[in-house]
Amino acid sequence: MGVVCEIIANNTRKPIWGYKSLVYSVLTIGFLSFIVWAHHMYMTGMGTKISAFFQTTTMIISIPSVIILTCLFMSLWGGSIRFNTPMLFALAFLPMFGIGGLTGLPLGFNASDVYLHDTYYVIAHFHYVVAPGTIFGLFAGIYYWFPKMTGRKMNEFWGRVHFWGSFVFMNLVFMPMFAQGMKGMLRRMADGGANYSARACRAQLTLFPVPSWSCTRGFSGRRWHWASCRFRSSSICSGASKHGEKVGDNPWQSTTLEWQTPTPPPHGNFATPPRIYRGPYEYSVPGHDTDFTPQNEPDAPTPAVVPKISPVPVAH
């Protein structure tokens, strides 16, 4: 979330909307994450009071998550967006993480989790949280800070191939698993599917009107082949992306302090101790010549105002 926040602020050329709310929400998630863990364990036979407690905390943790996504979505409004490779990965994080979070709500309730537990629905939910939340954020950070480490941008063309391949195939692999899981397909098929038929028949009686094609074993059996192809192609494109144009110290025209160091940074990072004059997100400040004002750039001196003196009449 921190990486995505930095990249969105830089590529929208404006500060993050509701920045303090975003920071407090991250801290709240960090605290609540210690008291939601048993929502993975409803099937262990815990009592109703304990399950009710963990259901409640799981629902509460969705509130700061929605606040964070709202701040990031609202930051896009009115921005002069630059669609480079880091920004594409950061933008993909928003809807993908949103899908992962919303599909986690049925798993947070004991009643619905009893049915969805140990099905492909869990796999789909988990991967929509982890893949964009971790992998997309990781790649966004690599493409964004790679020029500072090496003095050379990653190749933009292969970066876009890398992004679109990852984005499209991640959805093709995991989106159908929601339907398969609601249909009753188990996440572990060690018995060769003998237990699947009973759950599939039971699924027809539920409130999930899922088409039969989504539960074909042939499709599910090929999902890991698609996933492996996606990761192999992503690795190849990521390696090909490393040969890009040479850049200076601040190729993204960023305001934060790490971009004010020489490239690559020397021992101790800074040639001279930096002096900070402002916050980290001074983008598109009215009255400035550029749309970014680095943290270590001193304020322009205010021109001295010479008081106007009225002429004194001379007596003749």
Side-chain angles (χ1 to χ4, degrees):
M1 288 179 179
V3 170
V4 169
C5 185
E6 291 283 328
I7 294 174
I8 287 180
N10 176 259
N11 287 292
T12 56
R13 315 309 290 168
K14 57 180 291 192
I16 291 294
W17 187 88
Y19 179 72
K20 288 186 178 180
S21 300
L22 185 148
V23 172
Y24 287 128
S25 296
V26 170
L27 296 176
T28 303
I29 289 177
F31 170 74
L32 291 176
S33 63
F34 286 96
I35 52 176
V36 300
W37 49 271
H39 61 204
H40 298 279
M41 303 172 65
Y42 291 138
M43 301 294 287
T44 59
M46 66 173 67
T48 55
K49 293 183 179 179
I50 297 298
S51 64
F53 170 79
F54 284 105
Q55 286 178 109
T56 303
T57 55
T58 301
M59 295 302 108
I60 292 175
I61 204 172
S62 65
I63 297 174
S65 302
V66 171
I67 293 175
I68 292 172
L69 285 180
T70 301
C71 291
L72 296 177
F73 271 117
M74 290 298 294
S75 298
L76 303 176
W77 181 265
S80 181
I81 302 177
R82 304 184 305 191
F83 292 98
N84 47 45
T85 302
M87 187 60 170
L88 291 176
F89 277 105
L91 289 175
F93 165 87
L94 302 179
M96 296 296 98
F97 190 81
I99 292 173
L102 291 174
T103 55
L105 295 179
L107 300 176
F109 287 107
N110 191 5
S112 53
D113 184 70
V114 169
Y115 173 78
L116 294 172
H117 175 78
D118 210 32
T119 66
Y120 269 24
Y121 185 95
V122 179
I123 299 179
H125 153 72
F126 180 78
H127 281 85
Y128 268 89
V129 173
V130 172
T134 302
I135 299 176
F136 278 24
L138 174 66
F139 280 130
I142 291 175
Y143 279 97
Y144 184 66
W145 278 287
F146 189 82
K148 175 53 63 178
M149 295 183 287
T150 63
R152 184 186 292 273
K153 273 187 178 182
M154 300 186 83
N155 186 277
E156 190 68 18
F157 170 77
W158 288 112
R160 291 173 183 268
V161 172
H162 176 201
F163 165 74
W164 286 111
S166 300
F167 180 76
V168 170
F169 284 105
M170 193 203 80
N171 283 279
L172 286 178
V173 170
F174 297 113
M175 181 64 78
M177 290 186 183
F178 288 120
Q180 290 174 293
M182 289 187 289
K183 192 76 170 180
M185 187 167 187
L186 297 175
R187 65 186 296 185
R188 298 178 179 89
M189 305 294 289
D191 58 359
N195 198 23
Y196 168 64
S197 58
R199 290 181 67 106
C201 292
R202 216 162 17 114
Q204 303 294 338
L205 304 178
T206 66
L207 298 178
F208 303 119
V210 181
S212 58
W213 60 264
S214 63
C215 291
T216 56
R217 292 192 60 195
F219 175 82
S220 63
R222 290 193 294 270
R223 77 191 188 280
W224 298 118
H225 173 69
W226 290 4
S228 62
C229 291
R230 174 170 61 86
F231 285 116
R232 283 198 297 267
S233 62
S234 297
S235 301
I236 294 172
C237 293
S238 179
S241 299
K242 292 183 179 179
H243 185 73
E245 61 175 321
K246 292 184 178 180
V247 294
D249 295 339
N250 191 3
W252 305 117
Q253 296 180 323
S254 179
T255 61
T256 49
L257 202 59
E258 78 272 20
W259 294 101
Q260 317 312 320
T261 66
T263 302
H267 179 71
N269 293 329
F270 293 93
T272 57
R275 186 174 180 181
I276 309 303
Y277 295 92
R278 59 185 55 81
Y281 303 113
E282 296 290 324
Y283 290 104
S284 303
V285 177
H288 285 248
D289 297 334
T290 60
D291 64 350
F292 71 105
T293 309
Q295 288 184 269
N296 62 339
E297 182 178 300
D299 293 323
T302 305
V305 178
V306 180
K308 186 176 181 180
I309 302 175
S310 301
V312 179
V314 179
H316 293 282

